[in-house]
Amino acid sequence: MMMMAAAGVFLGFSLVLLTGLCQGNSVERKIYIPLNSTAPCVRLLNATHQIGCQSSRNGDTGVIHVVEKEEDLPWVLETGPTPPYMVLLDGNLFNKETLQKLKGSTRVSGIAVTYAKPPPEGFSLDVQCPNDGFGLYTNEHGSQYAHCNGSVWNPLGTGFSYQDFRFPVFLLENENETEVIKQCYRDHNVPGNDSVPRYPLCAMQLSAHMHAVTSSVTCMRRNSIQTSFSINPAVCDSLAGYNVWSAIKPINTSLTLLPEEQVVVSAARLDGRSFFWNLAPAAESTVSALVTQLAAAEALHKVNDTQSLPRNIMFTFFQGEVFDYIGSSRMVYDMQKGRFPVRLNNIHSFVELSQVALRNNSVLWIHSDPVSRTNETVDTEVQNLINILKTASTGVNVTLQEVGQSQALPPASFQRFLKARNIPGVVLTDHRTTYNNKYYNSMYDMAETIKMDYPSGLSQDEAMEYVTETAQALSEVATLLAKTLYQLAGGNDTVDIKADPHTVTRMLYGFLVRSNNSWFQSIMVPEWKEALEDKPPQFYVTASSMGSKPIPNNPTRLLLSVLANLTGQAVNFTKEQCQNPDKATDAKKELYDYIWVQGPLKDNSTSREPYCIRSTKRSQFAESPAFELNEWGSTEYSTWTESRWKEIRARIFLVPSQELQVITLITGIAILILSFVATYFIQAKADILFTSTEDGGSVAY
């Protein structure tokens, strides 16, 4: 009986223990409040440095202190009695001066930044000379223009996006979560009459431990060793994605063009960045040019005689340009290696759109390269291109002005092409010298900062169709671009070409306000519909694991869908034929690309009418040639990598005093010792405790 009782007790204890283990997550939820809407600063590396932020392996913890004004800083930096502190920093104080003070203090364990409206004076944590050292101007070529000599393009840049922080920095994107933290702070951390807050205190833990250290050279070498011996996963990945391109006349992707076949190139960039990972709205820096070029492509595809033009027109969208021209340098590299159907000597001329949404008095500036124009032939061709631009501006609400030939090109993809060959070309911008964009490569480079204003009370569909002043202005630039490209390709200036402002406004809404809208839904590939969100897409480039290509990020998927819709045509293919053109007759898949899209909603129904679109749009893997060449310390090509991490997590909880923690620890140790003693005693006396007291004789009936 005693043995059965002991067995019952053991079984009961086991069930209690098992139940406790199963309810572990429930206990955790009672202790911690998770913060689910955050954007972390992560570690990036290049050939020589590491930048960004990281936490310790298990996350960094500190007592929360709210800093809403300069006067709140001394408590954190000097007088507060309970360091280290996790600073809840008001977004209006997220600037160079505050970061310098916090970065240099050992009393700070991390920063959580609250979201704020764009500061009117501007905000950019990027450098003042973007992509310095990887463009056309170096100490060996055009040295008089190297390092932005004579032209500081981003004067508001503080460079803090390129510094290394020893603690985690997170952005809090949800106002409700921010208020929860502040309420916890007010309830527990605000000092009483004795000026010392009493325990328990409200604390925060930020986890963002990065695996890579030092530089891309170090982490890629570790990747190589660990992969060779199958020891551990890689510690960093190269930044990579996909260039997107399309041509007016189909180009056979299985061949290369003949030398006499000429192509006019129109270019824009496809990516952006900010201090925080995957937070890059990039309204002025990227989207303004991207949608303008798309509108120009649509306008040209509506012209009847483009197939008979003497020259072809190719639209290109370069990925990873923020990180030392990843996309453009890859395309040039592939052209030189014969891996791209267009060679460098096929390029007749080059027109690039940079930032174009913030024009003053409708002025658009024409930039050209002063070094290549010292060649008389190139200078003549560039001047001819400028004359065509001026002719095309007739009847368009754009005032063209030419930058003097003593000024260098602004940061632009065109620079990577000029490094390989003298090509006649220009870069069109809304600025003559310094950027009009006061929020370059920051989280504030968004719709409202390019003056996309909507009347109140509009539904989502009404807002998408409402032509804002910005959309109208960009459609004028698109018209100018389309007319210029048409004439450069050999067309005459009498053909009526006009970009559609309604197309521009719909694209701006989808790329900068809400990608999950009725138009984007109808043109999206069903397998890509997760790219549609009730918020704008973020234009941060993706990371590519060793030996594999990344899937296209959301902006690339949206771009491919929009480009196919604007420049392609519907064909009578079944879904099977569309997704596998080999099963269709006369598909000419070496000339065309096919996608099966969701289609519009049927009348009074939730079902859709899908169809197949044929277009000339293509994507090209865009990873820096440095990683193919294993030249991780290259000074010629981009070497940017992104560290892998253990987890990204933020949460708050109450922390007891040090005294209580010590008492709890000692009590736990005492209980542990007592349990060992009790276990030893029970085991030593088991023959007495668990022996039956009944006689072992026979039983009488």
Side-chain angles (χ1 to χ4, degrees):
M1 293 294 293
M2 290 293 294
M3 291 295 290
M4 292 178 63
V9 171
F10 176 75
L11 179 59
F13 176 77
S14 299
L15 288 174
V16 170
L17 179 61
L18 182 61
T19 302
L21 290 173
C22 292
Q23 293 181 347
N25 288 335
S26 177
V27 174
E28 181 177 344
R29 285 196 296 269
K30 291 179 181 179
I31 298 174
Y32 299 102
I33 298 177
L35 306 174
N36 298 316
S37 299
T38 62
C41 162
V42 303
R43 174 169 290 169
L44 302 175
L45 309 98
N46 64 11
T48 55
H49 291 81
Q50 64 180 30
I51 65 171
C53 317
Q54 84 145 358
S55 73
S56 57
R57 185 173 297 276
N58 295 315
D60 288 336
T61 302
V63 174
I64 296 172
H65 190 76
V66 175
V67 176
E68 296 180 323
K69 53 188 183 298
E70 289 282 346
E71 291 75 15
D72 296 328
L73 283 172
W75 181 275
V76 173
L77 302 175
E78 300 168 8
T79 61
T82 55
Y85 286 100
M86 192 65 68
V87 178
L88 184 65
L89 184 66
D90 187 279
N92 294 307
L93 290 176
F94 187 56
N95 53 43
K96 177 182 178 181
E97 292 73 21
T98 306
L99 284 176
Q100 279 181 328
K101 293 175 182 178
L102 296 175
K103 186 174 184 285
S105 174
T106 58
R107 293 167 54 90
V108 176
S109 60
I111 304 174
V113 183
T114 66
Y115 198 84
K117 290 186 177 181
E121 68 275 11
F123 178 90
S124 176
L125 298 183
D126 209 285
V127 293
Q128 295 186 348
C129 186
N131 291 0
D132 185 23
F134 289 86
L136 178 63
Y137 309 112
T138 64
N139 294 332
E140 291 73 36
H141 180 89
S143 58
Q144 67 271 36
Y145 306 110
H147 314 301
C148 294
N149 185 26
S151 300
V152 178
W153 301 106
N154 185 35
L156 294 175
T158 63
F160 265 79
S161 285
Y162 289 84
Q163 292 197 19
D164 186 42
F165 288 77
R166 61 174 179 80
F167 50 68
V169 183
F170 280 48
L171 176 70
L172 302 175
E173 299 181 284
N174 186 293
E175 291 183 1
N176 292 330
E177 291 186 346
T178 300
E179 184 55 35
V180 168
I181 301 170
K182 288 183 176 180
Q183 188 60 49
C184 185
Y185 167 80
R186 288 191 289 264
D187 291 343
H188 299 279
N189 294 15
V190 175
N193 295 331
D194 56 359
S195 297
V196 177
R198 297 190 177 185
Y199 287 94
L201 299 176
C202 190
M204 180 183 293
Q205 182 185 54
L206 299 179
S207 299
H209 178 67
M210 301 290 136
H211 296 325
V213 294
T214 308
S215 67
S216 291
V217 176
T218 301
C219 78
M220 291 302 293
R221 184 171 62 244
R222 290 180 180 175
N223 281 359
S224 180
I225 294 172
Q226 293 180 179
T227 303
S228 299
F229 292 96
S230 301
I231 303 173
N232 287 308
V235 297
C236 69
D237 299 304
S238 62
L239 294 183
Y242 292 89
N243 293 331
V244 174
W245 63 278
S246 174
I248 290 291
K249 294 189 282 187
I251 294 177
N252 192 326
T253 55
S254 63
L255 303 172
T256 55
L257 296 181
L258 298 173
E260 62 270 18
E261 295 181 274
Q262 296 291 288
V263 176
V264 178
V265 175
S266 178
R269 86 180 199 188
L270 180 50
D271 68 307
R273 73 161 301 198
S274 75
F275 183 83
F276 298 102
W277 179 74
N278 204 28
L279 185 63
E284 160 75 282
S285 61
T286 298
V287 176
S288 64
L290 182 146
V291 300
T292 302
Q293 182 162 271
L294 285 168
E298 180 194 37
L300 283 171
H301 273 269
K302 291 179 179 178
V303 179
N304 294 327
D305 67 343
T306 52
Q307 299 303 306
S308 60
L309 291 173
R311 305 180 190 95
N312 204 346
I313 301 172
M314 184 172 77
F315 297 95
T316 57
F317 302 85
F318 294 116
Q319 184 66 270
E321 295 302 274
V322 170
F323 295 99
D324 299 335
Y325 305 117
I326 292 173
S328 54
S329 63
R330 182 61 189 228
M331 183 170 282
V332 170
Y333 179 80
D334 285 348
M335 285 180 171
Q336 293 172 323
K337 297 294 182 181
R339 301 174 184 172
F340 194 78
V342 178
R343 298 289 190 96
L344 284 169
N345 58 8
N346 294 123
I347 299 177
H348 170 268
S349 50
F350 200 107
V351 180
E352 180 171 355
L353 292 178
S354 187
Q355 305 174 66
V356 292
L358 298 175
R359 291 183 292 139
N360 294 321
N361 300 318
S362 300
V363 173
L364 193 68
W365 291 94
I366 306 172
H367 300 258
S368 59
D369 171 43
V371 177
S372 62
R373 290 189 70 174
T374 57
N375 180 297
E376 186 176 344
T377 302
V378 173
D379 182 61
T380 300
E381 292 173 333
V382 171
Q383 192 56 55
N384 178 60
L385 195 164
I386 294 172
N387 292 337
I388 290 175
L389 270 166
K390 292 179 178 178
T391 301
S393 67
T394 304
V396 181
N397 187 23
V398 175
T399 303
L400 288 173
Q401 292 195 24
E402 186 178 352
V403 173
Q405 291 189 35
S406 61
Q407 181 176 304
L409 283 172
S413 306
F414 183 39
Q415 292 197 28
R416 293 299 305 193
F417 286 80
L418 283 173
K419 287 193 77 169
R421 176 176 171 260
N422 280 343
I423 299 172
V426 296
V427 178
L428 304 178
T429 73
D430 56 18
H431 53 273
R432 179 179 178 272
T433 52
T434 59
Y435 292 161
N436 290 341
N437 182 6
K438 296 188 295 183
Y439 308 100
Y440 179 73
N441 280 352
S442 82
M443 57 187 174
Y444 298 123
D445 187 7
M446 52 191 183
E448 66 179 86
T449 56
I450 61 168
K451 304 173 183 176
M452 278 179 56
D453 301 317
Y454 296 94
S456 60
L458 295 182
S459 67
Q460 292 177 10
D461 284 344
E462 289 171 340
M464 183 178 66
E465 298 295 338
Y466 179 80
V467 179
T468 62
E469 290 184 10
T470 300
Q472 182 62 52
L474 290 180
S475 70
E476 298 287 344
V477 179
T479 297
L480 169 68
L481 176 64
K483 292 172 68 175
T484 300
L485 296 174
Y486 181 78
Q487 292 179 42
L488 286 171
N492 61 64
D493 59 3
T494 60
V495 176
D496 184 30
I497 302 174
K498 185 173 178 61
D500 185 356
H502 289 91
T503 298
V504 175
T505 206
R506 287 196 292 176
M507 288 191 290
L508 287 173
Y509 184 85
F511 283 116
L512 292 177
V513 179
R514 182 188 176 99
S515 60
N516 188 20
N517 59 70
S518 57
W519 183 45
F520 275 20
Q521 289 169 3
S522 67
I523 63 176
M524 181 61 62
V525 176
E527 292 76 16
W528 290 355
K529 61 184 179 182
E530 68 272 10
L532 301 174
E533 299 180 276
D534 295 332
K535 59 183 180 180
Q538 303 301 322
F539 286 81
Y540 178 74
V541 65
T542 52
S544 173
S545 301
M546 290 184 66
S548 63
K549 296 181 180 180
I551 61 173
N553 62 7
N554 287 351
T556 304
R557 295 179 182 186
L558 296 174
L559 172 61
L560 287 167
S561 300
V562 172
L563 183 59
N565 177 267
L566 296 181
T567 63
Q569 65 182 75
V571 292
N572 189 25
F573 279 16
T574 65
K575 181 178 180 180
E576 184 180 16
Q577 291 173 327
C578 193
Q579 294 179 338
N580 188 358
D582 289 332
K583 296 183 178 181
T585 57
D586 198 33
K588 299 180 181 178
K589 67 175 185 178
E590 70 278 1
L591 297 176
Y592 298 102
D593 178 80
Y594 296 84
I595 60 170
W596 184 260
V597 299
Q598 295 187 132
L601 289 170
K602 297 179 181 178
D603 293 337
N604 301 319
S605 174
T606 57
S607 60
R608 296 184 175 274
E609 297 178 349
Y611 59 96
C612 185
I613 295 181
R614 182 181 74 184
S615 69
T616 61
K617 61 93 178 162
R618 303 283 183 175
S619 61
Q620 173 212 21
F621 181 52
E623 181 185 53
S624 171
F627 297 101
E628 179 179 317
L629 300 169
N630 289 334
E631 296 178 358
W632 307 318
S634 173
T635 57
E636 172 65 19
Y637 296 113
S638 170
T639 56
W640 284 105
T641 57
E642 178 186 271
S643 174
R644 292 191 179 186
W645 51 79
K646 179 182 177 182
E647 64 177 348
I648 299 294
R649 183 174 65 182
R651 56 188 184 179
I652 63 173
F653 58 97
L654 294 181
V655 60
S657 65
Q658 291 289 337
E659 293 79 4
L660 181 57
Q661 292 182 50
V662 171
I663 292 172
T664 303
L665 176 62
I666 293 173
T667 303
I669 293 173
I671 292 173
L672 179 64
I673 294 172
L674 183 61
S675 66
F676 281 144
V677 172
T679 301
Y680 174 78
F681 173 76
I682 291 171
Q683 185 176 7
K685 304 297 182 179
D687 56 336
I688 299 173
L689 294 173
F690 302 121
T691 299
S692 175
T693 58
E694 299 178 6
D695 292 334
S698 60
V699 179
Y701 290 92

